[in-house]
Amino acid sequence: MKKLLLSSKSPRRAELLQQIGVPFEVISVDVPELRAEAEAPMDYVLRLACDKARAGAQAYADQSCPVLGADTIVECQGQVLEKPKDAAQGAQMLTLLSGNTHKVHTAIAVCEGDKQQADLVTSEVTFRVISPAEIAAYWQTGEPCDKAGGYGVQGFGGVFVSHLAGSYSGVMGLPVAQTQQLLNQFAIGCWQG
C-alpha cells in the first residue's frame, strides 16, 4: 500500500485525511509564508501549497512517496487574513468578518518526483454580527490563535457562521473531495485505514 507524506503540522488536515482513510505520515518542512507585493490571494495560497509539497518531496526524496502540501487563507474586503499574531489582531479580523461574507481559499498540491498536481477550492462564508464581548471571550478559548482568519469553523467559531457555500472541509483546511481526486492521480486511494 502506497503511503502519503503530509507536509503540514495542522491537526485538522491530519484528522480529515484519517476521516477518509488515507494512510499518511506527517513531515515537517520550513516554507516561508510571505505574500509577494501585488500577489493575488488565490495565486498566493496556491503557490504556498505547491512550495510545501515540493519542499517535502525534496527533503524526503529517499522515501519515494507522494507529498501533500496545503494552505488556507481568508479574504475579506480585499484583505488577506492569515493566522492572527495576537489578541488585538484576532479582534481586528473578527470585527472585519462580523456581519460580512468572506472567501476561504484552500489550495492543495501533491508532488512526487517530477510530477505535481494542484487544485484550489474557494468557499464563501457569511458571519452573523459578533459583539466585542463575544470576540474577546472567543479569543480566550485559545482556538483562534492558529487559524486563518482567526476562527475555526469546526470548533467554537462555528457559532458565528450563518451561511456557508462551498466546501466545509475546505474551510477547515483540506477539501476532501478534491483531495481524493488529486490523490487518485498518484495511486493513493481512500478508505484504506
Side-chain angles (χ1 to χ4, degrees):
M1 178 178 358
K2 201 169 184 183
K3 181 176 68 175
L4 175 71
L5 299 179
L6 174 61
S7 185
S8 172
K9 296 177 197 140
S10 165
R12 291 158 303 284
R13 290 189 181 112
E15 288 168 15
L16 288 165
L17 280 176
Q18 288 171 343
Q19 176 183 313
I20 61 173
V22 173
F24 69 96
E25 176 185 324
V26 175
I27 60 171
S28 180
V29 294
D30 188 26
V31 174
E33 296 189 10
L34 299 170
R35 184 175 170 214
E37 192 173 330
E39 187 174 23
M42 291 186 289
D43 294 339
Y44 172 52
V45 74
L46 193 56
R47 177 178 59 80
L48 284 179
C50 291
D51 287 353
K52 291 175 183 181
R54 272 195 302 272
Q58 289 170 357
Y60 294 83
D62 60 322
Q63 294 200 29
S64 300
C65 297
V67 177
L68 171 65
D71 200 75
T72 301
I73 60 168
V74 171
E75 179 186 3
C76 186
Q77 298 178 357
Q79 294 183 47
V80 171
L81 309 179
E82 297 185 73
K83 298 171 186 173
K85 293 180 176 71
D86 53 32
Q89 190 178 45
Q92 184 181 23
M93 288 180 182
L94 290 172
T95 300
L96 179 65
L97 298 176
S98 176
N100 285 312
T101 297
H102 60 274
K103 294 179 180 176
V104 178
H105 304 293
T106 296
I108 50 174
V110 179
C111 186
E112 182 179 24
D114 294 334
K115 181 179 178 183
Q116 179 173 301
Q117 297 291 327
D119 200 359
L120 173 70
V121 175
T122 297
S123 302
E124 290 194 350
V125 181
T126 303
F127 270 24
R128 64 170 173 79
V129 174
I130 312 168
S131 72
E134 285 179 300
I135 290 172
Y138 180 53
W139 182 264
Q140 292 304 313
T141 68
E143 185 177 272
C145 302
D146 68 339
K147 312 277 191 301
Y151 76 95
V153 70
Q154 74 285 359
F156 299 127
V159 301
F160 304 140
V161 178
S162 61
H163 184 76
L164 191 155
S167 170
Y168 178 80
S169 62
V171 175
M172 286 178 63
L174 192 73
V176 293
Q178 292 81 2
T179 299
Q180 183 261 334
Q181 290 174 337
L182 213 54
L183 292 177
N184 278 349
Q185 296 177 43
F186 291 83
I188 293 183
C190 292
W191 313 310
Q192 296 180 35

